Amino acid sequence: MAESFGFRLLSQAGQARLGEIATPRGLVRTPAFMPVGTAATVKALYPEQVRATGADIVLANTYHLMLRPGAERIARLGGLHRFMRWDGPILTDSGGFQVMSLAKIRKITDEGAEFQSHLDGGRHMLSPERAIEIQCLLGADIQMQLDECLELPAEDAEVERAMELSLRWAERSKRAFESMAKPGQALFAIVQGGTEAKLRRRSAEALVAMDFSGYAIGGLAVGEGHEAMLRALEATVPELPAEKPRYLMGVGTPHDMIEAVALGIDMFDCVLPTRNGRHGLAYTWGGPVNLRNAVHADDPSPLDPQSSCPAARDLSRAYLHHLVRSGEYLGAMALSWANTAFYQELMGAMREAIREGRFADWAEETKANLAGSRAE
Amino acid sequence: MAESFGFRLLSQAGQARLGEIATPRGLVRTPAFMPVGTAATVKALYPEQVRATGADIVLANTYHLMLRPGAERIARLGGLHRFMRWDGPILTDSGGFQVMSLAKIRKITDEGAEFQSHLDGGRHMLSPERAIEIQCLLGADIQMQLDECLELPAEDAEVERAMELSLRWAERSKRAFESMAKPGQALFAIVQGGTEAKLRRRSAEALVAMDFSGYAIGGLAVGEGHEAMLRALEATVPELPAEKPRYLMGVGTPHDMIEAVALGIDMFDCVLPTRNGRHGLAYTWGGPVNLRNAVHADDPSPLDPQSSCPAARDLSRAYLHHLVRSGEYLGAMALSWANTAFYQELMGAMREAIREGRFADWAEETKANLAGSRAE
């Protein structure tokens, strides 16, 4: 295993990139999808299952973990890897997004984000320095700068103000990281700027000048729509250095990810596979399947005979339908597992298509297949 | 594997019995605990996990399955074993207990139990014949007669009336079973009679005269208290033939089961391991542990280092505490798994103690150990 963090570009097909992130805890093959382990667990999956789906890295949420069980507690217990029994790399976000989406009351100042916990109303201050301190206490292999996220649409002036604030926080995050992090850990910056190409470019340019280990694109998939998201990516990606990984935060559907990879994105995270799994929606190579629908009640065929996942390959649609309708744990467990496996298979197929120089054709064909049963 | 149903008594220590039930789908080592798979799933466990805990047989509920997804549907899909992917023996209850405990409105007549579904208010009639028909549609290896269950305490006259009705239903259940069942399937009778020794004996005597493949003791663990339960067992068990398995329905705690085995009981089922697991309570060899308690928040030690179950052996109490407090699926999954494994280990230890002729000593010592942390 590598002693330091690094990124290697192995192959390119159009803008789509095949690569490898080296960390002291193992390799991350890119394009990579990071299952979301919000509260130190990928919901409804055993860590061994997550690993067996082919996931190289998982994400955990600073906001959730700082509130419960607490970053200092996890550090005393030997760090997040030991706590959640995941020995591969972990990326933690900085908490900025959840402060926007979950906290009860929040006040953003230059100092940081002051907010009330959605759990118990307790008051907390998340500054760029504290966000890094928490991520170091957790022992995250890839850490994120604190940024201010806005819900879109927002006024241009407001988007610009938040972007500029995030740049100042990026600098402070980097200084804090350099004083606290262990060798081999990495810090990523987050490009902001809403759907304004000009702001995105300015944010990217300033962050690249600061020299981070990787660059995330944040503040998308928050209500701006698919086309606006793609335009923001088109404006941003060309500004980012080819030799650093690029991470599109909080995205997305299989369709979104295929198009983002085509534009040069390397990393993703999203709650969709597990959240939809808990709600009875399954991803398959033939398109999404809503197991709640009565059409499955008498169907003895498996969810997806092409899947590598036992839950998708061995359980009948009739049984899954019954489990989902009955609100049984096993329904949520099996579909979260099947979806997490599907997302990894999709990334694996993308990597293979890039390696073989046929990504564009593969993407067209796969998008058509995945749209197959959408009408269902 | 056996072609027909049979029971073999292998050894005895006092009244405690070591035995083996042969079925076409495999052996059941007794004393046996049957994990409860109410709606065709042992809650929060994969079937492979249930099997790996050492369970030889699972129980499923006629009442739940007749309402959803429906017995005829399960038959069309190839039967309950295929539906829930459990290839070992399955015992189904007759629905009588759930009609009492769950159905909205019920009217008991000589014909059967008329009730309204707790799910959608639909009206259903469960007669002795229909209860057997449903169990045959499910393909249950061990089937139960329809009986009338009462909540205790109840008036003596009412207990007697229900017991007599259950005897008439036993006869009709047997006739129906003989006309519908497949070779190798077995029908058990259910002794009723509340906590009245006289009624229990009369019920047992009449049922033994009808010659069933096994005898259950029903209508206990419904509010009568531990001592009253033991007295009812003491009155009933001596009336039952030594060469047939004896099943104490709906029981119980580890303590209950040890004492019931000492009185000659061979089989148990109970929702406690999974229900308590979902609520944060774990069974261990050192006694029950409530993972919600703050005392576990910083405890890096495993739930039970003696356990054969990875969830009990590998996950720290601090992590389980966090999962339970956070309402995470994995908390319910891990504790349901650990508890199901503990119950199987307990039965295995009882079988070994009987085989080695030291059941009484083992029972005293184990009851003391299990009471260890009860104050917690």
Side-chain angles (χ1 to χ4, degrees), chain B residues 46-265:
Chain B
Y46 288 93
E48 294 76 14
Q49 291 178 311
V50 178
R51 174 62 85 182
T53 63
D56 294 328
I57 178 171
V58 298
L59 177 145
N61 288 119
T62 285
Y63 173 87
H64 287 93
L65 294 174
M66 73 183 279
L67 297 181
R68 186 171 58 193
E72 278 74 9
R73 169 167 288 142
I74 289 181
R76 283 196 303 273
L77 289 163
L80 184 57
H81 296 80
R82 179 184 294 186
F83 187 62
M84 68 185 287
R85 290 184 56 81
W86 175 263
D87 60 7
I90 296 176
L91 180 147
T92 45
D93 66 1
S94 65
F97 180 76
Q98 265 87 23
V99 167
M100 178 268 278
S101 59
L102 286 179
K104 272 192 215 161
I105 298 170
R106 57 189 181 274
K107 196 181 149 203
I108 309 288
T109 64
D110 231 70
E111 172 55 16
E114 206 186 319
F115 66 92
Q116 270 194 294
S117 159
H118 72 292
L119 295 177
D120 61 4
R123 293 188 171 278
H124 297 266
M125 176 65 175
L126 194 62
S127 65
E129 292 77 14
R130 177 62 181 156
I132 295 297
E133 186 182 18
I134 290 171
Q135 295 179 79
C136 285
L137 285 164
L138 299 175
D141 303 286
I142 303 180
Q143 306 184 12
M144 303 302 299
Q145 69 152 103
L146 186 65
D147 60 339
E148 184 187 355
C149 294
L150 296 176
E151 277 181 90
L152 298 183
E155 297 290 325
D156 284 2
E158 179 64 0
V159 174
E160 181 166 6
R161 183 201 57 70
M163 183 274 278
E164 296 285 358
L165 177 64
S166 295
L167 287 181
R168 294 194 295 281
W169 286 0
E171 260 194 279
R172 284 167 54 192
S173 296
K174 189 156 191 275
R175 274 201 303 275
F177 178 82
E178 283 163 359
S179 77
M180 284 188 255
K182 285 198 192 141
Q185 294 179 331
L187 179 66
F188 281 24
I190 304 177
V191 178
Q192 288 288 356
T195 54
E196 270 299 302
K198 196 180 52 174
L199 294 181
R200 285 277 169 190
R201 279 196 292 268
R202 207 199 308 157
S203 172
E205 197 181 351
L207 292 170
V208 171
M210 295 182 212
D211 190 25
F212 285 84
S213 295
Y215 294 90
I217 300 170
L220 293 176
V222 290
E224 76 283 1
H226 182 71
E227 289 309 316
M229 182 184 87
L230 294 182
R231 284 196 306 275
L233 289 185
E234 282 164 351
T236 310
V237 171
E239 306 298 322
L240 300 176
E243 71 279 11
K244 299 284 174 73
R246 303 157 180 172
Y247 162 29
L248 179 54
M249 302 181 82
V251 172
T253 65
H255 186 89
D256 286 340
M257 294 194 298
I258 293 171
E259 302 211 326
V261 165
L263 294 172
I265 296 295

Side-chain angles (χ1 to χ4, degrees), chain A residues 250-273:
Chain A
V251 171
T253 64
H255 186 89
D256 286 339
M257 293 193 298
I258 293 170
E259 302 209 328
V261 165
L263 294 173
I265 296 295
D266 305 306
M267 301 165 72
F268 302 90
D269 81 279
C270 192
V271 296
L272 279 181

Side-chain angles (χ1 to χ4, degrees), chain A residues 38-49 64-65 68-69 73 76-77 83-85 278 297-300 311 314-316 318-323 325-330 332-334 337, chain B residues 38-49 64-65 68-69 73 76-77 83-85 278 294 297-300 311 314-316 318-319 321-323 325-330 332-334 337:
Chain A
T38 306
T41 162
V42 178
K43 286 188 196 300
L45 268 77
Y46 287 94
E48 295 76 14
Q49 290 178 313
H64 287 93
L65 294 174
R68 186 171 59 194
R73 170 168 286 141
R76 282 196 303 274
L77 289 163
F83 187 63
M84 68 185 288
R85 289 182 58 78
R278 294 197 301 284
D298 288 293
D299 187 349
D314 298 342
L315 301 182
S316 70
Y319 186 52
L320 291 167
H321 170 78
H322 166 68
L323 294 173
R325 284 286 188 108
S326 303
E328 284 289 344
Y329 275 76
L330 188 57
M333 290 159 60
W337 188 17
Chain B
T38 306
T41 163
V42 178
K43 287 190 197 297
L45 270 76
Y46 288 93
E48 294 76 14
Q49 291 178 311
H64 287 93
L65 294 174
R68 186 171 58 193
R73 169 167 288 142
R76 283 196 303 273
L77 289 163
F83 187 62
M84 68 185 287
R85 290 184 56 81
R278 295 197 301 283
D298 288 293
D299 187 349
D314 298 342
L315 301 182
S316 70
Y319 186 52
H321 170 79
H322 165 69
L323 294 174
R325 284 287 188 105
S326 304
E328 283 289 343
Y329 274 77
L330 187 57
M333 291 160 61
W337 188 18

